[in-house]
Amino acid sequence: MNINKKNIKYVDPINHWDFSNFLENETSTNLKKELNSLFVDRKDEFKFFDRNGSAMYEWCKYNQKDTPVAYDLISYLHSTEFVRYLEEVTEIKGLIPDIHLHGAGYMRCGVSDSLKIHTDFNWNDEIKLNRVLTLIIYFNKDWKKEYNGEIQFWDKENKECVKSYFPNWGNCIMWEYDERGFHGHPNPLKCPNGQYRDGFRLFYYTSNSTNDNPHRSLYWFDGKNAIDEIK
């Protein structure tokens, strides 16, 4: 899979990275088609997130049969090659992708929907890991500013927007978790009926676990004594 790894890093109000044209046009087009097809044929299988005034559809099932395009994207963005690249860019070592995609994947908002300013969840209880990085890819062709929908990063006092990005075609925004990393797209969308603010998001984690007695594979030849090398 071809991606554009060129990016600009910003540190205000939190560490975040802007990738223009992250995905090639063909991949963005196929993701859009796949999401549109799911929404037409299987809308009742989407999760509708409507907490505290927010509104967003989320698709939660990923496999080679139902979502082959997303499956290929996930396979690459979860690969050793890409995770090592993220570690280099972010200087966060030991990144771990979530194979269960808790809260991740396709997202869709329509007219009047919004995502109120919030901070992210910091713990994934299913895999027992700490969330440290969020990556969102947008595929919205000809998105107009009057539609609203820009992702906004607010100051750490949650008083005003410091930086914002429109959800343009093939672009990617990535940010490091911060307990005061306030963000969202709080203004209700004003796009035409039948047009949507679409994206795909993935989360990456790290572990705080330690081991007081790390060792290599042990061999119990006599059933009593463990050794890791024959002398």
Side-chain angles (χ1 to χ4, degrees):
M1 179 171 291
N2 294 320
I3 63 169
N4 178 21
K5 294 181 178 180
K6 293 181 180 179
N7 64 87
I8 301 175
K9 179 182 179 180
Y10 299 92
V11 298
D12 189 22
I14 59 175
N15 289 338
H16 67 283
W17 295 261
D18 176 21
F19 298 77
S20 295
N21 300 311
F22 180 75
L23 291 183
E24 57 189 352
N25 184 66
E26 182 180 2
T27 302
S28 294
T29 299
N30 291 335
L31 286 166
K32 188 80 169 184
K33 287 180 179 178
E34 184 168 86
L35 177 54
N36 284 340
S37 179
L38 290 169
F39 204 69
V40 169
D41 299 333
R42 303 168 66 177
K43 185 176 179 180
D44 59 336
E45 296 180 46
F46 279 75
K47 174 185 175 182
F48 185 62
F49 178 83
D50 60 349
R51 206 166 108 211
N52 295 325
S54 296
M56 179 171 59
Y57 285 96
E58 301 172 320
W59 179 262
C60 305
K61 306 172 186 177
Y62 295 92
N63 53 63
Q64 289 176 304
K65 178 182 178 182
D66 297 323
T67 55
V69 183
Y71 188 87
D72 286 346
L73 178 67
I74 293 165
S75 295
Y76 178 71
L77 298 182
H78 279 184
S79 69
T80 295
E81 175 189 348
F82 187 72
V83 171
R84 294 294 188 219
Y85 164 72
L86 289 182
E87 290 180 334
E88 179 182 339
V89 169
T90 64
E91 298 181 347
I92 303 173
K93 302 303 180 184
L95 287 177
I96 305 169
D98 172 19
I99 61 170
H100 303 300
L101 299 172
H102 174 71
Y106 282 125
M107 58 182 189
R108 165 166 281 191
C109 296
V111 62
S112 300
D113 292 342
S114 64
L115 187 63
K116 304 307 180 187
I117 299 299
H118 65 286
T119 57
D120 289 324
F121 71 83
N122 64 352
W123 172 255
N124 185 326
D125 199 51
E126 186 172 15
I127 57 177
K128 311 300 183 187
L129 295 173
N130 300 284
R131 177 174 167 182
V132 294
L133 200 63
T134 297
L135 182 151
I136 295 185
I137 307 164
Y138 297 105
F139 33 96
N140 303 288
K141 196 168 277 187
D142 302 321
W143 191 263
K144 296 179 172 55
K145 288 190 176 183
E146 56 263 32
Y147 294 171
N148 296 327
E150 71 275 18
I151 184 169
Q152 300 180 5
F153 292 94
W154 285 44
D155 63 44
K156 293 193 174 183
E157 285 69 48
N158 196 21
K159 292 182 179 179
E160 62 180 2
C161 176
V162 175
K163 197 81 175 174
S164 65
Y165 303 89
F166 276 85
N168 294 322
W169 185 256
N171 283 13
C172 171
I173 301 296
M174 181 173 71
W175 65 91
E176 188 175 343
Y177 172 79
D178 189 295
E179 65 178 4
R180 301 193 67 79
F182 297 103
H183 65 281
H185 59 96
N187 301 317
L189 298 184
K190 296 181 179 180
C191 54
N193 281 314
Q195 191 162 345
Y196 300 96
R197 179 189 188 274
D198 292 336
F200 195 94
R201 58 187 178 174
L202 291 175
F203 310 135
Y204 297 85
Y205 298 81
T206 56
S207 171
N208 287 333
S209 62
T210 59
N211 190 323
D212 294 332
N213 183 33
H215 57 70
R216 299 188 298 178
S217 300
L218 300 177
Y219 297 84
W220 300 73
F221 289 109
D222 61 3
K224 297 179 181 180
N225 301 298
I227 59 174
D228 67 356
E229 184 175 0
I230 299 176
K231 298 179 180 180

